[in-house]
Amino acid sequence: MANQFQLFKHRRFNAMFFTQFLGAFNDNIFKQALILVLTYTAASQLGMEVSILNNLAAMLFILPYFLFSALAGQIADKFEKSKLTQFIKLLELVIMAIAAVGFVFEWYALLFVALFLMGTHSTFFGPIKYAYLPQAMKEDELVGANGLFQMGTSLAILLGMIIAGVLTQLSQSLYWISVTVLIVAVLGYLAARYIPTMPAMQPNLNINWNIITTSLSTIRYLYSLPFLFFVILGNSWFWFYGATFLTQTPEFSKVILQGDESVVIFLLTLFSVGVSIGSLLCKSLTKNQVSLRLLPFGIAGLSIFAIDLYFSLSSLNIDVNNSALLSIRDLFGLNGSWRVFADLFFLGFSGGLYIVPLYASMQAYAPKSHRARIVGANNIFNAIFMVTSAIFAIVILNALGLTLPQLFLVTGLLNIAFGAFLYVKLNKHIKDAVIQTNDVVSL
């Protein structure tokens, strides 16, 4: 495990790690702060339903992944990555300045514009960071580097949400939020300046600026590489699965556990720390090899602990005699609560074992000349699966009238079927992937 953290001694790793960490951190400070402002202030001022505003915010952030992921992949393949990253981080500064004006003057339309632009920023940065790793890392460092990146992303998301919650409780909170996102954007740009030069993989590429034909072409190309196609389906399923659970966490914290806001943060922390530990262990468990041997354990854990979460939540009997919600300390003393906590932690842990081998395989087996475009295709499918997750939850909870624990049960059972299908397909096509990786592949 010590060798894994030795990567932080190398500028080729630490500069990109902190650039992506600060980017994800800023994303989530801004998004969570905006959601809290919409929920507690804007909805009443605008005379609109909170759910409509929050769903609009979610849609605006995800929309750029549909529109621009394929184009972003082309740009990342064509241009040198360190200068491209620095340019994108400068754009983040501009976007956060727009957001700061929106917060300070409470111009909600401007905040929605900034949210769409921040989603666009993330869309263009994603192919760069994941195509960068296999280029900058040695072969025996790739799994460890991906584990650290996944850990960093999970912690950045969690810390961003916590910091946003703290900032919104301060007096003059909108000013504090504005200053914070600007400072983090500056730090992200400074980190990007230390990223070493990485040669462009296809500098003569003619970029197709038509986002529709580019997206279709990228998806067709991905489909011609069956192993990578199923790897990306597996990646996207993780985002479907995670979104299904994490989106419902605030509701089941309040409705089922009768917990206050601190309980929501605690449960999200359990899940995030679980993902981080599972991700970090992948290096040791695979002995630095890009391998799918951990995938069955990840699949099994995601189902076992989702199904057990159904039983642990169903068996809870929380009787609140007054209107006050329970704190973390109150819940610790209740029978059955520790089982719920353990289920959420091991769900995250299993997710780490599941996702790191898939990301490492995507990078290792993608043709070098098209690596960033493969990541762009991955982002398109991730966005589709996340939107599908929201529709799935609405159908299960509203149309079919099932409970939250039953939603988790259904999701865990679906994971068994999907996981078995995925593992069979990946094992069927991996030999072809090895051959194709060694060939010159072109569109």
Side-chain angles (χ1 to χ4, degrees):
M1 186 64 70
N3 289 336
Q4 191 165 6
F5 290 95
Q6 294 291 322
L7 288 172
F8 281 106
K9 293 182 177 179
H10 302 287
R11 188 160 63 95
R12 59 190 167 88
F13 176 79
N14 60 38
M16 183 59 85
F17 175 88
F18 287 112
T19 301
Q20 69 89 29
F21 178 90
L22 290 165
F25 182 52
N26 219 17
D27 269 355
N28 285 277
I29 293 175
F30 175 53
K31 282 193 299 181
Q32 188 69 10
L34 178 57
I35 286 172
L36 291 172
V37 168
L38 292 176
T39 300
Y40 293 101
T41 306
S44 59
Q45 289 183 359
L46 299 174
M48 296 178 66
E49 293 288 336
V50 172
S51 60
I52 293 174
L53 289 173
N54 286 344
N55 285 324
L56 177 61
M59 183 193 72
L60 283 174
F61 190 81
I62 293 175
L63 183 60
Y65 287 91
F66 287 108
L67 299 178
F68 306 128
S69 285
L71 177 61
Q74 289 184 85
I75 291 172
D77 275 332
K78 181 177 177 64
F79 296 104
E80 191 274 317
K81 292 180 178 61
S82 65
K83 292 290 186 288
L84 190 57
T85 302
Q86 290 165 26
F87 176 73
I88 288 173
K89 288 295 154 180
L90 278 176
L91 290 180
E92 182 183 352
L93 261 172
V94 175
I95 295 165
M96 288 297 99
I98 294 171
V101 172
F103 276 125
V104 169
F105 292 99
E106 298 185 51
W107 294 344
Y108 301 115
L110 192 62
L111 285 170
F112 280 125
V113 170
L115 184 66
F116 176 82
L117 292 175
M118 201 60 185
T120 303
H121 157 273
S122 298
T123 300
F124 279 88
F125 181 55
I128 297 172
K129 69 176 180 180
Y130 283 116
Y132 171 91
L133 278 181
Q135 199 173 348
M137 300 297 108
K138 298 173 183 175
E139 186 176 346
D140 63 352
E141 295 173 336
L142 189 58
V143 174
N146 271 280
L148 289 169
F149 260 54
Q150 191 61 50
M151 174 203 73
T153 301
S154 297
L155 294 181
I157 292 170
L158 175 65
L159 289 173
M161 294 174 68
I162 292 173
I163 294 298
V166 170
L167 292 175
T168 53
Q169 299 303 309
L170 300 175
S171 61
Q172 303 295 319
S173 60
L174 297 179
Y175 289 93
W176 281 107
I177 294 166
S178 301
V179 170
T180 301
V181 295
L182 282 169
I183 290 174
V184 176
V186 170
L187 293 175
Y189 172 71
L190 293 176
R193 290 187 61 84
Y194 288 92
I195 297 172
T197 300
M198 286 290 151
M201 299 309 296
Q202 202 170 353
N204 298 322
L205 175 67
N206 292 319
I207 294 178
N208 179 359
W209 296 94
N210 186 318
I211 58 176
I212 296 175
T213 58
T214 299
S215 298
L216 293 175
S217 176
T218 300
I219 292 171
R220 278 197 302 269
Y221 176 67
L222 173 65
Y223 193 70
S224 72
L225 305 171
F227 177 76
L228 288 172
F229 175 75
F230 287 109
V231 164
I232 284 175
L233 281 188
N235 284 343
S236 300
W237 175 255
F238 175 78
W239 290 104
F240 172 96
Y241 201 88
T244 300
F245 280 82
L246 294 182
T247 303
Q248 315 309 323
T249 300
E251 186 175 350
F252 93 71
S253 297
K254 182 177 180 181
V255 175
I256 300 177
L257 300 181
Q258 301 291 311
D260 60 19
E261 293 87 344
S262 67
V263 174
V264 179
I265 296 299
F266 177 70
L267 296 183
L268 291 173
T269 301
L270 282 175
F271 187 86
S272 299
V273 171
V275 171
S276 299
I277 294 174
S279 299
L280 291 175
L281 280 177
C282 286
K283 174 184 179 292
S284 300
L285 296 174
T286 61
K287 298 179 180 178
N288 292 334
Q289 296 178 344
V290 177
S291 167
L292 297 175
R293 71 182 68 164
L294 293 180
L295 192 61
F297 297 99
I299 293 168
L302 287 172
S303 286
I304 289 169
F305 295 107
I307 293 169
D308 193 66
L309 184 61
Y310 161 75
F311 288 109
S312 61
L313 289 174
S314 299
S315 63
L316 278 177
N317 184 18
I318 299 176
D319 183 21
V320 180
N321 296 321
N322 53 53
S323 58
L325 294 173
L326 302 176
S327 67
I328 293 293
R329 182 177 296 179
D330 296 328
L331 281 175
F332 279 162
L334 294 178
N335 288 331
S337 61
W338 282 88
R339 184 176 169 188
V340 174
F341 301 155
D343 284 334
L344 277 172
F345 172 82
F346 284 109
L347 269 173
F349 180 84
S350 302
L353 297 182
Y354 174 91
I355 195 63
V356 170
L358 289 175
Y359 266 114
S361 296
M362 179 178 72
Q363 295 161 7
Y365 291 107
K368 292 180 180 178
S369 59
H370 293 71
R371 190 177 279 145
R373 275 166 283 178
I374 293 294
V375 178
N378 176 69
N379 289 344
I380 293 173
F381 279 94
N382 286 354
I384 292 171
F385 273 62
M386 289 175 73
V387 171
T388 305
S389 166
I391 297 170
F392 170 73
I394 290 170
V395 170
I396 292 292
L397 297 173
N398 298 102
L400 299 181
L402 299 185
T403 63
L404 283 174
Q406 288 170 333
L407 170 66
F408 301 149
L409 174 65
V410 171
T411 307
L413 294 173
L414 283 176
N415 185 68
I416 297 173
F418 180 85
F421 164 79
L422 178 68
Y423 193 68
V424 168
K425 289 294 185 181
L426 290 176
N427 277 290
K428 177 182 177 181
H429 292 293
I430 191 167
K431 289 182 180 179
D432 293 336
V434 174
I435 295 170
Q436 285 178 313
T437 303
N438 294 325
D439 290 340
V440 178
V441 184
S442 60
L443 280 169

